[in-house]
Amino acid sequence: MRPSLADRGDAELAELALAGQQAAYGELMRRHRDGVYRLARGHAGDATEALDITQETFISAFAALARYDGARPFRLWIARIAINKCHDWARRRAVRRFFTFARPMEEAATVADNGPTPEEAMQSQALLARIHAAIAALPANLKDVLLLRTIEGMSQAEVAQTLGLSEKAVETRLYRARQKLAEFLRGDGSTRV
């Protein structure tokens, strides 16, 4: 009796997906989509953008699946792709922001702000939004470590392996990220961390 896809390891599912079994890649996506989404949500600070980044991550992962080394955990491999997609998103966002502000003032009235106003948000949602904004405003090198270590629950060694850093560098960056978040949350709430 052959084991079901849910009972197989990630490396075996990757092999089956490469052999043309789409359901195997679907199982990999099911297993890892929440973690990828949380990483993207932490980077983007926006649920809709995070969904787009998550989708781009899995599309890129599927295209690069032949380069996946089954000896390494799939979770670490897909996390690295997700972080790269988040960095790409941040670069595109900076370019979009530049062009948005470069428009004539009379066109600025047509740019909609889809975010909830403080009057519409509950107090707990406002605090959560501040936290998401603080995380999103962190420099990428601190944000990556913070999200992988605290949100994804990876060990220090796994974070170091994923990002190609030493464990001491991970420890230092995590300390700095937490310090900057604490400063932000004690401060006036501006997104400059």
Side-chain angles (χ1 to χ4, degrees):
M1 184 169 115
R2 291 176 47 176
S4 71
L5 291 176
D7 297 331
R8 295 179 187 222
D10 289 345
E12 189 178 357
L13 289 172
E15 287 178 23
L16 290 171
L18 283 171
Q21 193 171 352
Q22 290 181 349
Y25 193 69
E27 177 63 19
L28 282 171
M29 286 177 54
R30 186 194 62 73
R31 286 182 189 177
H32 300 284
R33 70 178 171 226
D34 292 341
V36 168
Y37 174 79
R38 285 189 301 269
L39 275 174
R41 178 72 164 98
H43 263 272
D46 177 77
T48 305
E49 294 287 346
L51 285 173
D52 290 343
I53 294 168
T54 301
Q55 183 177 8
E56 287 179 25
T57 298
F58 280 104
I59 289 169
S60 292
F62 185 74
L65 198 55
R67 293 191 305 261
Y68 167 63
D69 176 8
R72 291 186 64 214
F74 189 84
R75 178 179 180 219
L76 301 182
W77 184 74
I78 196 79
R80 180 73 253 175
I81 293 172
I83 287 171
N84 288 341
K85 290 298 169 189
C86 289
H87 292 177
D88 292 346
W89 172 84
R91 282 189 293 273
R92 286 192 310 268
R93 180 177 170 207
V95 169
R96 283 192 306 264
R97 184 178 294 150
F98 171 78
F99 284 113
T100 298
F101 290 122
R103 292 181 178 170
M105 284 304 288
E106 54 271 17
E107 288 183 28
T110 62
V111 177
D113 179 11
N114 296 328
T117 63
E119 296 82 23
E120 299 170 333
M122 295 168 54
Q123 185 176 5
S124 63
Q125 290 174 330
L127 177 59
L128 186 59
R130 281 186 68 208
I131 292 169
H132 280 298
I135 292 171
L138 285 172
N141 64 338
L142 300 181
K143 185 181 342 184
D144 295 343
V145 170
L146 180 73
L147 292 172
L148 291 173
R149 183 74 175 101
T150 59
I151 305 297
E152 287 307 303
M154 289 185 181
S155 71
Q156 203 160 300
E158 289 175 322
V159 174
Q161 183 182 2
T162 301
L163 298 176
L165 300 170
S166 69
E167 288 187 44
K168 185 63 179 170
V170 169
E171 181 180 345
T172 301
R173 288 180 184 187
L174 184 61
Y175 174 79
R176 287 181 184 155
R178 287 177 176 161
Q179 231 180 358
K180 285 189 178 284
L181 284 177
E183 289 171 12
F184 172 83
L185 294 174
R186 279 192 305 268
D188 64 0
S190 69
T191 56
R192 187 172 173 204
V193 180

